[in-house]
């Protein structure tokens, strides 16, 4: 297939719309079901690159959940513990395959942002993964292959309209890439930099104890940032992104946004949240929205009289600021990556409040000494990668 006609571009008024190969060769994809849209394909191609690099760097299956050309979550296929299964709403399923575990983690990190996502998988989509996807609100998926059972499950999703794309894993893009903005053609070299442990060799803090588990998490953060709209910051723990701040004009706002998402991920594991007495008929998406309100400042939106009765069997106690602060203090050994240098130590101060112990950033600010001192004050390990990862 040399060309794929699309319904419209970013918006319904932007017609005609298509994707094609300028050199006349076949597209590297095959649409097995449904009709992917313009933004779907942007998500698919960015997501596929991300998971391919995660698989290459870690040797484990990888998944990402994309929304509007940035990942809401990304993860590798490590087993889930009992609490993770519960907060990702998969505790009713049998033991998941590594591929399904990767997607459960990617989807579960920020479930509100992942609502209506486009999924990318590094490996064959198996039946476990397809069954997990079937029950989530999602626009489509891209993977190198599908088992027969998985394909049948996915084809039945969205009344038969779920977008299922198969990509040729051997496809390599041209060395130069182009795009047009306002009728002007931009050209640049494809960003083929390989992210690996060597990028973490220049440790600039007093604490230089960087264990292999932290290296893996920092690598995951940097690969995720490579395909996240800049400015961007990514918090990672245990093989998965737990907070991604994308597209902010100020780096401290990236750090705060991503940090608040990481905090929410950890707060969802608190006993007060795990034991919320939901009514049996409350759907997963409504539970996600309710939990987000309950752990935030607008908790009375779900606890006020006349409100809680529609959600809970009994009225939950307020999750107080003191309770939340005490619980968040238990979150430790978090890794943090930044796609460009930290200009001020305030980013480190904010990161410390979300349990960050390991940091990877390019360095090169005139205030590097201030940032390094802030990291030393918190006994963090910080590596200068000397490599920027802007993505637009």
């Amino acid at each position: 297939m040399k060309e794929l006609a699309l319904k419209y571009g970013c918006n319904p008024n932007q017609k005609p719309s298509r994707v094609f190969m300028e050199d006349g060769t076949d597209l590297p994809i095959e649409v097995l079901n449904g009709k992917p849209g313009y933004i779907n394909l942007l998500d698919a191609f960015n997501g596929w690159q991300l998971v391919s690099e995660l698989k290459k760097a870690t040797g484990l299956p990888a998944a990402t959940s994309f929304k509007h050309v940035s990942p809401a979550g990304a993860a590798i296929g490590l087993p889930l513990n009992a609490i993770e299964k519960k907060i990702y709403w998969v505790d009713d399923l049998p033991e998941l395959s590594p591929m399904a575990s990767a997607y459960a983690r990617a989807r579960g990190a920020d479930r509100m942002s992942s609502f209506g996502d486009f999924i990318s998988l590094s490996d064959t989509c198996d039946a476990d993964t397809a069954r997990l996807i079937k029950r989530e609100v999602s626009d489509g998926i891209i993977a190198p292959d599908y088992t027969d059972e998985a394909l049948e499950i996915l084809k039945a999703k969205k009344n038969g309209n779920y977008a299922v794309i198969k990509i040729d894993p051997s496809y390599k893009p041209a060395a130069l890439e182009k795009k047009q903005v306002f009728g002007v053609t931009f050209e640049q070299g494809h960003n083929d930099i390989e992210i690996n442990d060597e990028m973490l060799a220049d440790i600039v803090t007093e604490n230089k104890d960087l264990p292999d588990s932290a290296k893996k998490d920092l690598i995951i953060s940097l690969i995720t940032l490579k395909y996240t709209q800049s400015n961007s910051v990514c918090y990672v723990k245990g093989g998965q992104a737990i907070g991604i701040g994308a597209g902010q004009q100020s780096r401290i706002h990236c750090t705060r946004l991503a940090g608040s998402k990481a905090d929410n991920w950890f707060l969802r594991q608190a006993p007060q949240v795990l034991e919320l007495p939901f009514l049996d008929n409350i759907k997963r998406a409504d539970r996600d929205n309710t939990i987000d309100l309950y752990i935030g400042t607008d908790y009375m939106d779900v606890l006020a009289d006349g409100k809680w009765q529609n959600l809970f069997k009994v009225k939950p106690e307020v999750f107080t600021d003191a309770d939340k602060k005490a619980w968040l203090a238990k979150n430790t050994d978090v890794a943090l990556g930044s796609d460009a240098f930290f200009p001020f130590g305030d980013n480190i101060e904010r990161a410390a409040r979300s349990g960050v112990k390991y940091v990877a950033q390019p360095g090169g600010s005139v205030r590097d000494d201030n940032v390094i001192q802030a990291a030393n004050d918190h006994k963090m390990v910080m590596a200068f990668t000397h490599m920027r990862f802007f993505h637009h």
Side-chain angles (χ1 to χ4, degrees):
M1 180 173 60
K2 290 182 170 53
E3 177 179 315
L4 177 62
L6 306 175
K7 190 174 181 179
Y8 51 77
C10 284
N11 300 289
N13 62 294
Q14 292 178 271
K15 301 176 181 178
S17 178
R18 61 174 177 152
V19 293
F20 61 99
M21 303 297 285
E22 280 193 320
D23 62 4
T25 58
D26 287 338
L27 288 165
I29 58 170
E30 179 183 358
V31 179
L32 304 180
N33 195 69
K35 295 181 179 179
Y38 188 99
I39 296 174
N40 290 156
L41 290 173
L42 290 175
D43 287 343
F45 294 142
N46 278 283
W48 166 249
Q49 293 177 86
L50 193 163
V51 297
S52 299
E53 292 192 31
L54 283 182
K55 173 65 181 292
K56 182 178 180 181
T58 67
L60 293 171
T64 187
S65 171
F66 256 68
K67 281 288 294 290
H68 293 288
V69 206
S70 279
I76 54 177
L78 297 174
L80 303 170
N81 63 36
I83 291 177
E84 290 166 339
K85 288 179 180 178
K86 190 165 185 178
I87 67 170
Y88 301 154
W89 309 127
V90 297
D91 53 326
D92 61 324
L93 297 175
E95 197 67 27
L96 297 175
S97 68
M99 190 71 267
S101 295
Y103 179 62
R105 289 178 176 280
R107 173 82 184 204
D110 183 2
R111 286 185 57 83
M112 291 187 68
S113 295
S114 287
F115 186 84
D117 64 349
F118 206 94
I119 300 160
S120 297
L121 305 180
S122 66
D123 291 60
T124 297
C125 180
D126 56 21
D128 276 2
T129 311
R131 280 189 286 267
L132 177 55
I133 293 168
K134 181 182 179 180
R135 48 198 240 169
E136 301 289 2
V137 177
S138 172
D139 278 358
I141 180 173
I142 187 169
D145 207 353
Y146 302 81
T147 66
D148 292 342
E149 184 180 4
L151 188 56
E152 289 307 307
I153 292 169
L154 295 173
K155 282 183 174 181
K157 189 173 171 62
K158 293 183 70 172
N159 297 317
N161 294 315
Y162 190 66
V164 180
I165 302 173
K166 180 178 178 180
I167 186 163
D168 177 3
S170 67
Y171 169 72
K172 301 294 182 187
L176 289 178
E177 57 188 20
K178 303 175 184 178
K179 71 175 180 179
Q180 285 194 335
V181 178
F182 197 52
V184 177
T185 299
F186 287 65
E187 183 178 84
Q188 65 177 351
H190 180 71
N191 190 2
D192 57 2
I193 186 72
E194 182 176 339
I195 298 171
N196 53 39
D197 287 1
E198 294 178 7
M199 204 168 278
L200 306 175
D202 185 13
I203 297 177
V204 296
T205 46
E206 294 170 357
N207 185 354
K208 301 185 185 299
D209 183 14
L210 187 60
D212 288 343
S213 58
K215 288 180 181 178
K216 182 176 291 185
D217 283 349
L218 288 173
I219 293 298
I220 291 171
S221 74
L222 295 175
I223 291 174
T224 300
L225 291 168
K226 187 178 174 184
Y227 298 101
T228 303
Q229 294 181 87
S230 298
N231 285 326
S232 55
V233 163
C234 179
Y235 293 65
V236 173
K237 184 174 181 178
Q240 69 171 95
I242 61 172
I244 301 171
Q248 303 303 301
Q249 293 84 356
S250 166
R251 188 147 306 274
I252 185 60
H253 289 142
C254 294
T255 306
R256 291 171 182 166
L257 175 59
S260 68
K261 292 184 177 185
D263 290 347
N264 284 353
W265 171 83
F266 195 67
L267 287 170
R268 283 160 53 199
Q269 302 176 50
Q272 295 94 323
V273 181
L274 291 174
E275 296 166 7
L276 283 171
F278 282 106
L279 295 172
D280 294 336
N281 63 345
I282 302 298
K283 296 181 178 180
R284 283 187 302 279
D286 292 322
R287 292 188 186 202
D288 292 331
N289 293 337
T290 300
I291 289 171
D292 187 72
L293 290 168
Y294 176 72
I295 64 180
T297 57
D298 297 324
Y299 55 87
M300 289 309 296
D301 287 357
V302 295
L303 294 184
D305 287 340
K307 298 283 189 179
W308 71 262
Q309 292 91 337
N310 298 320
L311 299 165
F312 305 110
K313 296 173 182 177
V314 295
K315 184 178 180 179
E317 295 292 328
V318 172
F319 196 3
T320 67
D321 288 343
D323 290 339
K324 287 186 279 189
K325 184 176 181 180
W327 180 256
L328 287 172
K330 299 178 181 180
N331 194 16
T332 59
D333 296 336
V334 177
L336 172 67
S338 177
D339 68 352
F341 62 67
F342 286 128
F344 301 100
D346 56 355
N347 291 274
I348 299 299
E349 299 296 337
R350 174 59 190 88
R353 294 204 298 273
S354 293
V356 169
K357 185 174 181 179
Y358 309 104
V359 179
Q361 58 124 331
S365 167
V366 296
R367 298 179 181 86
D368 275 349
D369 56 347
N370 172 260
V371 176
I372 293 170
Q373 185 57 55
N376 285 335
D377 290 344
H378 291 283
K379 297 180 171 56
M380 292 180 184
V381 181
M382 184 161 64
F384 279 3
T385 66
H386 306 286
M387 186 61 63
R388 196 177 75 178
F389 291 110
F390 278 175
H391 180 66
H392 292 287

